[in-house]
Amino acid sequence: MTTSTRPLHLAAELAPGSGRADPGPHTAARTVALARLAEAAALDFLTHDDSFAGPGLDALAVLARVAPETRSVGLVPTVTTTHTEPFHVQAAVATLDWVSRGRAGWRIAVSPTGAEARLLGRRPAPPAAELWQEAGEVAEVSRKLWDSWEDDAEIRDVATGRFVDRRKLHHVDFQGATFSVKGPSIVPRPPQGNPVTVVDATRPAARDTAAHHADVALIRATSAEEAAALRAELRRGARAHGRDPGQLRVLLSLTVDLDAYEGGPGALAELIAGWHGGGAVDGFHLVPAVPERDLERFAAGTVPRLRDRGLFRTAYEGTTLRDHLGLARPLSQYATTGAGA
Amino acid sequence: MSTATGRKQIHLAAHFPGVNSTTVWADPRSGSQIDFSSFEHLARTAERGLFDFFFLAEGLRLREHAGRIHDLDVVGRPESITVLNALAAVTDRLGLAATVNATFNEPYELARRLSSLDHLSAGRAAWNVVTSSDAFTGENFRRGGYLDRADRYTRAAEFLGTVRELWDSWTPDGEPGPFAHSGPQFRIEGEFPVPRSPQGQPVVIQAGDSAEGREFAASAADVIFTRHSTLEAGREFYADVKGRLARYGRAPGDLKIMPGVTYVLGDTDADAQERAAEIRRQQVSPQNAILALEQVWGRDLSGYDPDGPLPDVDPDPDSTLVQGRVRVADPVAVARRWRALSEEKGLSIRQTVIESGSRQSFVGSPATVAAALEEFVAADAADGFILVPRLTPGGLDAFVDRVVPLLQERGVFRTEYAGTTLRSHLGLPEPVWKGGTP
C-alpha cells in the first residue's frame, strides 16, 4: 500500500519506565536535547511518564521547562488523578498550554498502590475500577473548568470599567463521587480551548474512560488484527458516549530497541506503514528502550522512509498539538447561548 | 550583607502585577496578564536588573462581590510553579518564587514539585507559604473549607516541617533514605523520589504581619514578605521580627525582611507626584469607588452616585457581601474616618476613596527613589523590597533602567551576580542537613 486516506501520527516517550529516568540536575538539558530531536523529525507529541512512586522529577514540570526551548512538538506529561486536587491539576495543564502556546496535553494516570497512598496519607487506594471512574470525573471537570472562561470573556471595556464580562465566566458546580468543584477556573481558557487528553487504554479498567474522554488513546497489540479490534472497540465506546469517533485518535504504543530490532529502522518503517495503511491504527507511540539512541535512529532511519512513501509530514503544518492531530479546537460548552445568561 | 563600601546591601525582587486595582489595565500600554511573553518580559527585566527573585502570587478562586464574580479588576492567572519552570528556561540566575497554599495541598506532592523546580532551575526555587481557612475557597477542593482559622498556622508549620523532612531524606552525598512522618496533621511514609536539590532546601518565604505570622517566619522562613509602612513602623517591625530569631538559634541575617512596595518615577519629583495622582485616579474608576465603599459598608450601594456624598447608613458588621478577599478589619471605624475626611474637605465618594486609599510607596525622580530605598535599608526598616509594578509587562523597565544604576553607584546594590543560586543572592547560609535520624 503506498497511500493512506488518513494521516499518520507519530509520538514518542521521553522517560520510558519512569523508574529508570535520570532524576538529577541533568534532566533539563537531556530532555531538551531529546525534544529537539523529535521536533526536527516533526513528531506529533512527546509523552513523559511519571509516578508518585518515582524516582524522577515531576513530569509536567520537566515539560514546562522544555516548552520555551521548543517551538512545535506537543508536550504530554503523565498526571495522576488519584491523590491530587482536580482544580490544581487542570490549572497546571492549562498553564502548560499557555507557556507552550498551544502544545499541551496530559496523559491521565491513576495511583493504585498502597505505597503511593502512604506517600500522600490522604486515603487508602481504592480498587482500580473506582480509580478510573474518578479519573473520568477529573477529565470531565477539567474540561468544564477549561471552558468556564469563554474565549471572549476578557473585554477590557474602559467605558464601563469592566475587565471581564462576568456573563462569560461560569461556575461549573461539579459533583463527583469523591470530590466537588465550584469553579470557575483561575486560568483563562487555554490556547487550544481544551489541551489534549491522552489515556493509556492498555488495561481494560481504563478503556471506558479512554472511550469517554480521550482525544488520543494508547493501546498495545501483537498483531494488526488485535490492534484493529481494539481501535474499533474504542470507537464504538466513544459513539456510545455520544462522541464523534472521528475525534478520537488511536495510537499503538510500541516498545522498541533499535539495537535488537530485526531489520532496524527500515523494518520498523515497514511495520508502521503496513499497520497504518491497513487501518489498524491512526499512528504509533514509540517507547524507546534507550531514548537517546533509539529516538535518534528512529528520526534518522524510520521517519525518512515514511516520508518517502508520502505517509508522514515533512514539516509541521500547524502550530498547536490539536493541529498536528487533526483535532478541532472545541467551542466552550458554555458558549451556546450567545446572548448570555 | 555588606560589601567593601561598608554599606548595607539592598535585596530586590519583582512581583508580577497583581489581580487587584493596583494594576492599571485601562492604560493603553497594559498587555496580557496571561501570555507567557508577559512573564518572560518581566522576568528578563528583573534579571537584567540583577534582582534576587521573581515572585508570583496565587489565586484559588475568583473573587466575588454580592454573589457575582468581580469584574472590575485584572483577573485570571496561570498556575505559579508551571510558569516558573518555563521561566527557568529563559533566565539563568534569577530566583523563582511561587506562592502555594498549605491548606489546599499535601506535603509530599508539593515537596516534589518544589524540588523539581529547584533541579530544573539549577538552584533558584522559592516557596512563599500562605494559608487559608475560608470555606469559599474550599469549595474548589477535595478538602473543602473545614480548617479552623486558629489551625491555619498549626497546619502550615507542620506542613513546612514535613516538606523539609522530605527534602532532607536524601543525604548531601546523594544517597536516598526512607522517611516517616507522624503528626497531628500528616501521617506519611515511603521514599522521596527526587535527590537533594541544588539549594539543599529551596528558599522559604512567609507572607503575613500578624503575631502568629511573625513567630512562624522567625522559626522557619528565610524571607518575610511584609506590608510597607512608615520608616518608624518598619523599624519597629524589623526589630521585633529579628528579635525573635535568637529563640530558634538563628542569626539576624538568616531572615530577610522585604516589604512589598509600589513606586512612581518621573523626571522630577513634581512630575512623579503628578503621575502618581493620575495613576490613583485610574485605579479608582467610578465603579471601583462604589465597590470600595461596599467593601467597607458590606451593603449594596450601587444606587449611589460616585460623584455624590457618602451614605448616611452605617456598615453591616455581619456582611457576607465580599468573598475571596481580605475583609476590612473594623468597618465602622473606617466608615467614621471616611465620613470625617469627606466632610472636612468636601469630597465626593470617589474623591474620598482616592484620598483615603493606599499611596504609592515611593514617588519621585530616580535619584529621590534610590535615596529613599537606601534610607529604609540603612535605617534597619527593611533588608530589601519586593517591587509591585502597576503595568504588565513593561512596569519594571524604568526602575531597572533608571533606579538600579543609581543604587549601584551608591554601592548598595550588586553590579553582577556573585553566585548562581537564590540562596547565594540572598546571602543565606547553607542549610544544615537534618536527615538520617528519624
Side-chain angles (χ1 to χ4, degrees), chain A residues 17-82:
Chain A
S18 63
R20 282 176 291 144
D22 160 24
H26 310 297
T27 304
R30 174 181 172 272
T31 316
V32 167
L34 282 172
R36 285 183 170 161
L37 187 61
E39 190 166 75
L43 263 53
D44 290 58
F45 64 89
L46 294 164
T47 55
H48 192 299
D49 205 3
D50 198 4
S51 151
F52 273 146
L57 304 187
D58 179 73
L60 196 145
V62 173
L63 293 185
R65 172 68 180 73
V66 167
E69 303 207 46
T70 51
R71 296 170 54 95
S72 302
V73 70
L75 302 169
V76 182
T78 293
V79 179
T80 177
T81 58
T82 300

Side-chain angles (χ1 to χ4, degrees), chain A residues 23-25 27-28 50-69 81-89 91-93 95-96 98-101 115 118-123 134 138 145 149 154-166 169-171 178-188, chain B residues 25-27 30-37 40 58-62 64-65 67-83 85-90 101 104-109 112-113 115-117 119-121 136 138-144 170 179 186-195 198 285 287-288:
Chain A
T27 304
D50 198 4
S51 151
F52 273 146
L57 304 187
D58 179 73
L60 196 145
V62 173
L63 293 185
R65 172 68 180 73
V66 167
E69 303 207 46
T81 58
T82 300
H83 300 292
T84 48
E85 284 286 358
F87 191 84
H88 290 323
V89 163
V93 175
T95 301
L96 182 63
W98 278 107
V99 302
S100 67
R101 299 180 167 94
R118 287 189 291 277
L119 295 169
L120 277 294
R122 193 168 222 165
R123 57 169 182 177
E134 183 181 68
V138 176
L145 288 162
W149 288 61
E154 188 180 313
I155 51 171
R156 297 188 181 228
D157 186 44
V158 177
T160 59
R162 292 178 306 147
F163 184 80
V164 284
D165 179 350
R166 62 160 68 106
L169 297 174
H170 304 273
H171 290 125
T178 55
F179 66 90
S180 61
V181 177
K182 181 73 182 176
S185 179
I186 202 76
V187 187
Chain B
W25 58 263
D27 189 300
S30 163
S32 171
Q33 83 289 10
I34 187 68
D35 283 347
F36 183 62
S37 57
E40 187 174 354
E58 182 184 49
L60 297 177
R61 178 136 184 211
L62 301 189
E64 293 186 11
H65 186 84
R68 298 193 302 174
I69 291 164
H70 175 56
D71 59 359
L72 302 181
D73 295 329
V74 172
V75 61
R77 48 183 155 196
E79 190 274 316
S80 301
I81 296 179
T82 303
V83 169
N85 277 304
L87 288 175
V90 297
N101 199 297
F104 301 112
N105 284 283
E106 297 296 328
Y108 180 85
E109 186 187 5
R112 184 170 177 267
R113 296 189 74 205
S115 192
S116 296
L117 176 62
H119 276 292
L120 293 167
S121 65
F136 177 74
E139 284 181 347
N140 280 335
F141 298 97
R142 290 179 189 266
R143 177 167 292 284
W170 287 62
F179 70 84
F186 309 105
R187 288 173 66 89
I188 59 173
E189 61 176 36
E191 218 170 279
F192 192 59
V194 184
S285 66
Q287 296 87 350
N288 255 325

Side-chain angles (χ1 to χ4, degrees), chain A residues 150 167-168 170 332-341:
Chain A
E150 293 184 38
R167 294 171 308 173
K168 296 186 173 181
H170 304 273
S332 165
Q333 60 194 284
Y334 299 99
T336 50
T337 54

Side-chain angles (χ1 to χ4, degrees), chain B residues 107-331:
Chain B
Y108 180 85
E109 186 187 5
L110 187 58
R112 184 170 177 267
R113 296 189 74 205
L114 291 165
S115 192
S116 296
L117 176 62
D118 207 39
H119 276 292
L120 293 167
S121 65
R124 299 188 276 139
W127 171 30
N128 178 38
V129 185
V130 295
T131 64
S132 169
S133 63
D134 69 293
F136 177 74
T137 305
E139 284 181 347
N140 280 335
F141 298 97
R142 290 179 189 266
R143 177 167 292 284
Y146 67 79
L147 197 65
D148 264 8
R149 198 177 159 76
D151 289 338
R152 287 189 311 160
Y153 279 105
T154 313
R155 180 178 164 97
E158 189 177 331
F159 194 119
L160 175 56
T162 308
V163 163
R164 286 194 158 138
E165 287 168 31
L166 296 171
W167 286 339
D168 272 352
S169 67
W170 287 62
T171 69
D173 301 331
E175 289 302 315
F179 70 84
H181 175 95
S182 183
Q185 305 282 337
F186 309 105
R187 288 173 66 89
I188 59 173
E189 61 176 36
E191 218 170 279
F192 192 59
V194 184
R196 196 169 171 78
S197 69
Q199 293 187 102
Q201 301 261 334
V203 168
V204 169
I205 304 169
Q206 121 79 23
D209 295 333
S210 68
E212 287 168 300
R214 294 179 193 198
E215 199 63 30
F216 178 48
S219 71
D222 302 305
V223 175
I224 183 163
F225 176 15
T226 178
R227 226 195 318 265
H228 176 66
S229 53
T230 62
L231 187 75
E232 269 321 301
R235 284 171 57 96
E236 222 167 275
F237 180 86
Y238 190 98
D240 175 84
V241 171
K242 297 265 178 173
R244 294 171 191 249
L245 289 165
R247 237 172 295 168
Y248 302 97
R250 306 180 72 202
D254 292 356
L255 175 62
K256 305 299 179 202
I257 296 175
M258 299 179 70
V261 300
T262 54
Y263 52 91
V264 179
L265 301 175
D267 290 335
T268 63
D269 288 352
D271 179 34
Q273 291 293 349
E274 210 169 284
R275 291 175 69 176
E278 174 54 27
I279 288 161
R280 192 68 196 133
R281 279 191 293 276
Q282 284 182 314
Q283 288 168 334
V284 184
S285 66
Q287 296 87 350
N288 255 325
I290 295 296
L291 185 90
L293 205 65
E294 289 183 341
Q295 281 163 5
V296 174
W297 262 257
R299 295 178 188 280
D300 175 8
L301 303 174
S302 54
Y304 282 77
D305 176 2
D307 296 322
L310 268 63
D312 293 328
V313 292
D314 282 323
D316 171 4
D318 303 317
S319 170
T320 56
L321 192 73
V322 181
Q323 294 278 16
R325 69 165 98 206
V326 179
R327 295 194 53 177
V328 175
D330 185 354

